[in-house]
């Protein structure tokens, strides 16, 4: 990596007006804060030279990859669809892209993506594992797979209905739920689109993995709710405002990271230092109330992507993308975001996915036990 201007350019393109706007804006705040913190720390040393990171952030709908091709480090977009496109571009151009926002399993296996977040197949699976002891019965037989790749189990108790979106994220989430259910002797009664979830759900568990608006719409119209409800959307603080505190109560969600989870980082700053800057940056853009000072996982994982990328580039003598990719794929480290380590197929394998539950308009960590601050409750 030969630079004559003393700068190290970090390029990123986020869709800040379309698609997953909520999460993309949080991610943008994380990227900006991470680069500013690195600048205040005096930059990074690469090949014996001190370089000052500079962020080139484009709001382009995720289509400006070629405009960013001259950047030294590339950060991916938010959303599995856009990240999949970025992964295809990265493979064509042999460029490493640091993936913070596309967790679909088929996306994380793209050979030039370096993914920080747990793959989507773990989202609903983590919830199923957390609640397995709180549902009755065991199946009597296993049926054929459905269009989403889930195995439908025909049997007695512990019936699960999955409402999943049509894209790669929904497919992977549903497949992961089915695999976990099968291993635990539970019954997946069906996988349907969120709009097809009935107002009165005849199941013990309802799992939702649509868009934020899809999940919210289902929960707002339910007239009979199962004993256990989980929604990917409930991982965000504004979920309670969107559905109302009564409907939010008791809902579970997978989460890549929560402020209450504490890790001892060996790469990058401590959580307390990261949170100080992120709270200040995010608070003006959030609605008044208890959410104003709360940092969500999209901001945290974007910040961690920058921290990890900067660490790897300082440790790679050649500085080229091939060396950077090889180093990152063999790396085992911990940031304030949690553990990092990739499986042979490129998916993130070492990071712990959390399960949270809404209690009195507050998210509480209920699984895994190493990070839980409350016990899981079932109505």
């Amino acid at each position: 990596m030969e630079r004559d201007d003393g700068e190290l350019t970090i390029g990123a393109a986020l869709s800040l007006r379309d698609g997953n706007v909520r999460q993309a804006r949080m991610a943008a705040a994380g990227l900006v804060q991470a680069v500013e913190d690195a600048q205040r720390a005096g930059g990074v040393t690469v090949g014996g030279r001190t370089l000052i990171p500079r962020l080139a952030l484009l709001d382009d709908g995720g289509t400006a990859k070629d405009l960013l091709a001259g950047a030294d480090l590339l950060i991916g977009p938010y959303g599995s669809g856009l990240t999949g496109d970025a992964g295809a571009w990265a493979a064509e151009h042999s460029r490493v892209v640091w993936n913070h926002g596309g967790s679909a399993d088929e996306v994380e296996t793209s050979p030039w993506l370096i993914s920080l977040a747990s793959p989507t197949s773990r989202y609903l699976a983590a919830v199923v594992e957390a609640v397995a002891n709180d549902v009755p019965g065991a199946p009597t037989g296993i049926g054929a797979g459905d269009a989403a790749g889930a195995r439908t189990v025909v049997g007695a108790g512990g019936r699960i209905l999955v409402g999943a979106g049509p894209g790669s994220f929904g497919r992977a989430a549903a497949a992961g739920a089915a695999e976990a259910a099968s291993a635990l002797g539970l019954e997946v009664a069906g996988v349907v689109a969120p709009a097809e979830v009935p107002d009165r759900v005849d199941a013990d568990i309802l799992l939702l993995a649509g868009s934020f608006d899809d999940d919210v719409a289902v929960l707002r119209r339910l007239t009979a709710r199962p004993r256990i409800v989980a929604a990917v959307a409930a991982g965000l603080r504004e979920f309670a405002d969107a559905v109302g505190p009564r409907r939010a109560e008791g809902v579970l969600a997978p989460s890549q990271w929560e402020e209450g989870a504490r890790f001892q980082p060996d790469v990058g700053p401590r959580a307390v230092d990261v949170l100080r800057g992120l709270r200040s940056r995010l608070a003006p853009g959030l609605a008044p109330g208890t959410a104003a000072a709360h940092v969500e996982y999209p901001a945290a994982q974007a910040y961690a992507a920058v921290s990890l990328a900067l660490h790897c580039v300082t440790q790679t003598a050649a500085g080229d993308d091939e060396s950077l990719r090889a180093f990152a794929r063999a790396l085992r480290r911990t940031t304030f975001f949690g553990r990092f380590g990739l499986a042979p197929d490129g998916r993130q394998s070492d990071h712990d996915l959390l399960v949270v539950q809404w209690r009195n308009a507050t998210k509480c960590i209920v699984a895994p036990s190493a990070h839980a601050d409350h016990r899981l409750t079932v109505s």
Side-chain angles (χ1 to χ4, degrees), residues 96-100 102 105 107-119 308 312 324-334 337-351:
V96 169
V97 172
W98 297 87
N99 172 28
H100 63 94
D105 290 56
V107 169
E108 289 203 358
T109 58
S110 183
W112 287 85
L113 292 184
I114 304 298
S115 302
L116 278 78
S118 297
L308 205 64
C312 288
L324 188 62
R325 181 177 74 142
F327 182 87
R329 289 179 74 93
L331 188 68
R332 294 292 186 275
R333 287 291 186 270
T334 300
F337 182 66
R339 293 196 299 269
F340 172 90
L342 301 180
D345 65 1
R347 289 184 296 176
Q348 176 57 232
S349 61
D350 287 12
H351 183 258

Side-chain angles (χ1 to χ4, degrees), residues 95-178:
R95 292 298 310 271
V96 169
V97 172
W98 297 87
N99 172 28
H100 63 94
S103 58
D105 290 56
E106 63 191 63
V107 169
E108 289 203 358
T109 58
S110 183
W112 287 85
L113 292 184
I114 304 298
S115 302
L116 278 78
S118 297
T120 303
S121 60
R122 288 294 305 151
Y123 273 55
L124 300 182
V127 174
V128 172
E129 293 161 0
V131 304
N133 292 331
D134 295 295
V135 292
T140 58
I142 299 178
D146 64 14
R151 296 167 67 195
T152 302
V153 182
V154 182
R159 300 176 67 250
I160 301 172
L161 177 65
V162 181
S168 58
F169 181 92
R171 291 193 300 272

Side-chain angles (χ1 to χ4, degrees), residues 244-278:
R246 181 179 62 82
R247 291 188 178 92
E249 187 68 18
V251 174
L252 295 157
S255 176
Q256 295 282 0
W257 175 88
E258 292 291 325
E259 287 191 15
R262 291 289 179 261
F263 302 95
Q264 297 298 321
D266 50 35
V267 168
R270 302 173 302 164
V272 63
D273 298 319
V274 173
L275 291 171
R276 186 182 301 115
L278 281 178

